Amino acid sequence: MAGFGDRVAEHVDRRRSQLVLGLDPDPARLWPRAIELVAGSPGGPAERAGRAVAAHCRLVIEAAGDRCVAVKPQFACFERLGAPGWAALAEVVGDAAERGLLVIGDGKRGDIDISARAYAQSLFGWVDTPFGPVPGLGVDAATVNPLLGRDSLAPFVEAARSRSAGLFVLARTSNPGAADIQDRALAAGGTVSDALARMIDELGLPGTGARGLADVGAVTGATAPERLEALRELMPRAVLLLPGIGPQGGTGLELAPAFAPGPAGGLVSASRAIVNAHLAESAASRDPAMAAADEAARLRELLWGLYS
Amino acid sequence: MAGFGDRVAEHVDRRRSQLVLGLDPDPARLWPRAIELVAGSPGGPAERAGRAVAAHCRLVIEAAGDRCVAVKPQFACFERLGAPGWAALAEVVGDAAERGLLVIGDGKRGDIDISARAYAQSLFGWVDTPFGPVPGLGVDAATVNPLLGRDSLAPFVEAARSRSAGLFVLARTSNPGAADIQDRALAAGGTVSDALARMIDELGLPGTGARGLADVGAVTGATAPERLEALRELMPRAVLLLPGIGPQGGTGLELAPAFAPGPAGGLVSASRAIVNAHLAESAASRDPAMAAADEAARLRELLWGLYS
């Protein structure tokens, strides 16, 4: 199997999309159809909510998935439902994979080596037990937090690379608080984010594919084009995962530096913009699925136009 | 109810212990008794391994919990078993709380505000669903990752404080890779870890209790006493969570600065040192429970002696 960089490039080519469908299900704002589907099902609130979340995500994927290259489930939204939430997450991963979408597990995990290995088993591998091996989620990529340094990322890189999966390491997030640590100037020059970017580039170098993309990418909030350009220079081979396009975002032009290595150089995620499109004042349709399909189509086209 | 700082101080006084029982269950190295207990139970490998992990943790808590002030389940070790692992985690939290132990959820979560709120619901609160509210794990404290800055920590602080729970924010971890980012010198002076320590002190200040301890603590690897002393100066009110005491650790004297604010100023965790004590060459007993009880008693006494 090709490495993750090549896989992303092939998926982007084939699906003609750089759009990532963010799945951040809020159990209090599910599509009504999802609640209807599980209405008569047994169990307590957690079990029923877990099933409703899984049904909601399946409907969202059915509506908008064809316009996207990947889905990005936000782990926090699932694990707050406990074990039934984790079961829903596993179901969503399977549903998306069946439809040919890449799955980016957005858990931002990070820990010292032995715990990082356990997280990597959960994401990309399996764990041996006295009752037989237990497989993990089997995602195609995962977001990870690099604060603990290189040796904390190594088990993730190793596990991902061995199965042609990839990582997106936090380099510069899009929230205002990113200024508190990530934007700090270092005595040796550059910022903390720059140091992270260099680490990401080094980690991904041995996993660079024929299409010039590495298997270690970066999460880079697209707040300012000049910053994105600087980060791109430090990580010429990285696939950049750019959160935050949507109603609050700009024209998309600020994303252009992401696509320097080619159309698969940047994957852009949108979640509420698509899932809640029917609630927007300007919505052409009040039907959640139709509005989501329309908005995903619009965003896909906007992004695709940036590159070609 | 008293705030988290006061609760820790009371627990340490009453239990005369600063020892935290780390629960990092490896399904391939469970106590034999745990496997016997679930031998005939139904389900696939994941379900049976989940039950065995829960049984193992219960046996460990029964054996060594009396010598400890808290347990610290490592989330990675549970979530690699999927939904059954998450069910086991919830069970372990309940078992430990029933025995009067504080529970420190070691998940090192961290994300932008809306996702941080979802994680906080999972740890300290509940989430509303169309089928009724679903409660989270209900831990007494959780480890969190501060790379995303203050606004990413605020939802955790708010949720924890509202229920007299607390946080342990990563300040300086014990792994060699901590040098890659955390030890970097900043242009404005100090290191990244120092900047984190200042942020932790500020966040905890409004949550400082009658006993002088804040509800926002710090994870500080006790690798060098002079560094621990410097971090303590920056965080005079923080409860420090110190991982890594055990076979590879020193005499414990390097931990002394942690206890400057009093006996509850430092909580010291040990996991494999206790759980696998029966495998040590010097083990007085080959019975896992007896060896764990002995080793926990030894560590408790060592730590208690440091302060008094």
Side-chain angles (χ1 to χ4, degrees), chain A:
Chain A
M1 208 204 267
F4 182 69
D6 287 344
R7 289 180 64 210
V8 172
E10 286 156 21
H11 269 74
V12 166
D13 282 354
R14 197 169 60 239
R15 301 182 74 100
R16 294 177 63 86
S17 175
Q18 299 115 329
L19 185 62
V20 176
L21 179 59
L23 297 169
D24 307 25
D26 177 349
R29 300 184 71 185
L30 301 178
W31 287 3
R33 178 84 188 114
I35 300 170
E36 287 164 31
L37 281 171
V38 304
S41 79
E47 285 76 20
R48 297 172 75 194
R51 278 192 293 269
V53 158
H56 166 88
C57 291
R58 193 178 315 117
L59 293 171
V60 173
I61 292 170
E62 281 170 9
D66 283 354
R67 273 75 175 186
C68 302
V69 67
V71 297
K72 182 174 73 65
Q74 166 55 256
F75 286 10
C77 294
F78 294 87
E79 69 185 54
R80 63 181 158 184
L81 292 173
W86 203 269
L89 174 60
E91 211 176 306
V92 170
V93 171
D95 286 345
E98 242 173 53
R99 299 182 78 94
L101 289 152
L102 294 172
V103 180
I104 303 169
D106 193 3
K108 300 188 178 67
R109 303 304 196 235
D111 212 314
I112 56 164
D113 55 357
I114 190 164
S115 305
R117 278 202 293 277
Y119 279 127
Q121 290 175 333
S122 163
L123 293 162
F124 303 116
W126 73 91
V127 60
D128 287 319
T129 83
F131 315 99
V134 173
L137 288 169
V139 294
D140 297 294
T143 58
V144 292
N145 184 312
L147 181 65
L148 280 77
R150 215 172 301 240
D151 62 2
S152 75
L153 298 176
F156 288 104
V157 175
E158 193 185 327
R161 192 165 286 163
S162 73
R163 65 181 297 276
S164 298
L167 296 177
F168 292 98
V169 182
L170 300 182
R172 211 291 179 181
T173 54
S174 55
N175 59 317
D180 295 331
I181 303 296
Q182 299 164 41
D183 286 352
R184 295 258 181 164
L186 295 173
T191 65
V192 170
S193 281
D194 295 343
L196 293 172
R198 284 198 188 88
M199 194 193 299
I200 291 164
D201 185 57
E202 279 169 35
L203 285 168
L205 192 56
T208 306
R211 302 283 293 268
L213 294 172
D215 55 3
V216 181
V219 177
T220 49
T223 41
E226 69 280 7
R227 191 190 304 276
L228 192 57
E229 211 172 312
L231 288 169
R232 172 49 87 198
E233 269 175 43
L234 293 169
M235 300 179 284
R237 286 164 286 267
V239 181
L240 302 185
L241 179 59
L242 305 134
I245 199 174
Q248 81 283 23
T251 59
L253 283 172
E254 68 279 11
L255 306 176
F259 303 113
L267 302 182
V268 183
S269 84
S271 49
R272 282 168 292 276
I274 294 173
V275 175
N276 296 332
H278 60 295
L279 304 175
E281 267 188 43
S282 59
S285 169
R286 293 289 161 209
D287 175 70
M290 284 181 63
D294 285 353
E295 180 61 9
R298 190 185 73 79
L299 292 171
R300 188 209 70 79
E301 207 167 324
L302 180 106
L303 292 170
W304 196 254
L306 281 181
Y307 175 74
S308 53

Side-chain angles (χ1 to χ4, degrees), chain B residues 236-272:
Chain B
R237 287 165 286 268
V239 181
L240 303 185
L241 179 59
L242 305 134
I245 198 175
Q248 81 283 23
T251 59
L253 283 171
E254 68 279 11
L255 305 175
F259 302 112
L267 303 181
V268 183
S269 84
S271 49
R272 281 168 292 277

Side-chain angles (χ1 to χ4, degrees), chain B residues 21-103:
Chain B
L21 179 59
L23 297 169
D24 307 26
D26 177 350
R29 299 183 74 185
L30 302 178
W31 286 2
R33 178 87 187 113
I35 301 171
E36 287 164 32
L37 280 171
V38 304
S41 79
E47 286 75 20
R48 297 172 74 195
R51 278 193 293 270
V53 158
H56 166 87
C57 291
R58 191 178 318 114
L59 293 172
V60 172
I61 292 170
E62 281 170 11
D66 283 354
R67 273 77 177 188
C68 303
V69 67
V71 298
K72 182 173 74 65
Q74 164 57 253
F75 286 10
C77 294
F78 294 87
E79 70 186 53
R80 64 181 159 184
L81 292 173
W86 204 269
L89 174 59
E91 212 177 305
V92 169
V93 171
D95 286 344
E98 243 173 55
R99 299 183 77 94
L101 288 152
L102 294 171
V103 180

